[in-house]
Amino acid sequence: MSPLLEPGPTRVVGVLNVTPDSFSDGGVHAADPVAAGIALHAAGADLVDVGGESTRPGAVRVGPEEELRRVLPVVTGLVGAGVPVSVDTMRAATARAAVQAGAVVVNDVSGGLADPDMAATVAGLGCVYVLSHWRGHSDVMTSLAAYGDVVAEVRAELGERLSAVTAAGLDPRRVVLDPGLGFAKVAEHDWALLAGLDRLADLGRPLLVGASRKRFLGRLLAGPDGVVPAPTERDAATAAVSALAADRGVWGVRVHDVPSTVAAVKVATAWRSAAEVGVS
């Protein structure tokens, strides 16, 4: 088992988008993304997740060469600075290049569905693999948000993907599962999945929750006039979700604003520890 997956406090995964069109921070880190990643780590991020392709609703995919051009120098620079790195990609070739450059996690929001070579590639790399629930690319995913019991269906589909990547040679002990909040989901689905984390944990793998700044939080925080706050104004709500998820024992939370979530996870961890002492 990777040391990353050993029992411990909920990990904080800092988001570093090196894209011009991500929904909340596109282009923000263009000047010096390596310095931005180092700052995320210094602020308490256990991992820095580098992504070169936006997965916001409606986004159009970039070519593989462009994704690699964006991502690889940043991964190399961060690894050289001693920062633990995750690569956010749906492409096996990008995953391979990033891990060969020192990344220790492949975070695939498509769960291996976007690239049939991903599972076998990651199996050969020996890294941690984050497998997300996914039904289709960003330009069509909204139309795929149809469920009866969303928790049961997401659990079943994650289980199917876990079996598929295991059959392709990937050690299931290296897999983290992500319910894919916002991916082919509407707000009601996202809340149901957060409330149903225990049912997802029954699959036997650690969980990663990626709620940061997402639409369902914006909708929750909308004022009486219906105006939805900007993504950067959703960090307090994100920290609240992080604390609640940490209290439920998730392996990690993926966030844009690292300091607020580091504090929230510390509070949740202390609270949970005190409760366990009280029970004993």
Side-chain angles (χ1 to χ4, degrees), residues 11 13-14 23-24 45 58 78 106 135-136 148 178 192 199 225 239-240 269:
R11 276 70 168 183
V13 180
F23 79 98
S24 77
L78 289 175
V106 172
R135 285 184 167 182
D178 183 336
R199 290 169 65 188
D225 56 3
T269 302

Side-chain angles (χ1 to χ4, degrees), residues 49 60 94 115 117 134 139 214-215 219 235-236 243:
D49 193 37
V60 177
T94 302
D115 187 336
D117 294 330
W134 188 83
D139 57 346
K214 289 195 171 177
R215 287 181 299 170
R219 177 177 172 182
D235 288 332

Side-chain angles (χ1 to χ4, degrees), residues 180-269:
L181 301 180
F183 289 88
K185 323 272 189 321
V186 298
E188 291 78 8
H189 300 144
D190 293 330
W191 288 119
L193 287 165
L194 288 171
L197 287 174
D198 291 346
R199 290 169 65 188
L200 300 179
D202 286 344
L203 288 167
R205 300 309 311 139
L207 299 178
L208 175 69
V209 170
S212 186
R213 299 179 177 177
K214 289 195 171 177
R215 287 181 299 170
F216 77 102
L217 295 179
R219 177 177 172 182
L220 175 72
L221 300 174
D225 56 3
V227 175
V228 174
T232 53
E233 296 173 354
R234 305 171 195 172
D235 288 332
T238 298
V241 172
S242 297
L244 291 166
D247 184 62
R248 300 291 284 275
V250 302
W251 171 81
V253 287
R254 182 180 181 274
V255 299
H256 297 81
D257 184 64
V258 166
S260 63
T261 278
V262 168
V265 167
K266 285 182 177 179
V267 169
T269 302

Side-chain angles (χ1 to χ4, degrees), residues 20-100:
D21 58 343
S22 291
F23 79 98
S24 77
D25 58 355
V28 170
H29 306 304
D32 196 342
V34 173
I38 292 171
L40 288 172
H41 183 53
D46 299 288
L47 277 169
V48 173
D49 193 37
V50 180
E53 180 177 21
S54 176
T55 53
R56 61 177 173 78
V60 177
R61 300 202 71 185
V62 300
E65 297 82 6
E66 176 62 16
E67 182 190 29
L68 198 57
R69 185 194 68 79
R70 295 174 180 178
V71 165
L72 194 56
V74 181
V75 171
T76 301
L78 289 175
V79 170
V83 176
V85 174
S86 167
V87 61
D88 177 4
T89 183
M90 294 182 279
R91 290 188 172 102
T94 302
R96 181 186 300 107
V99 173
Q100 289 174 345

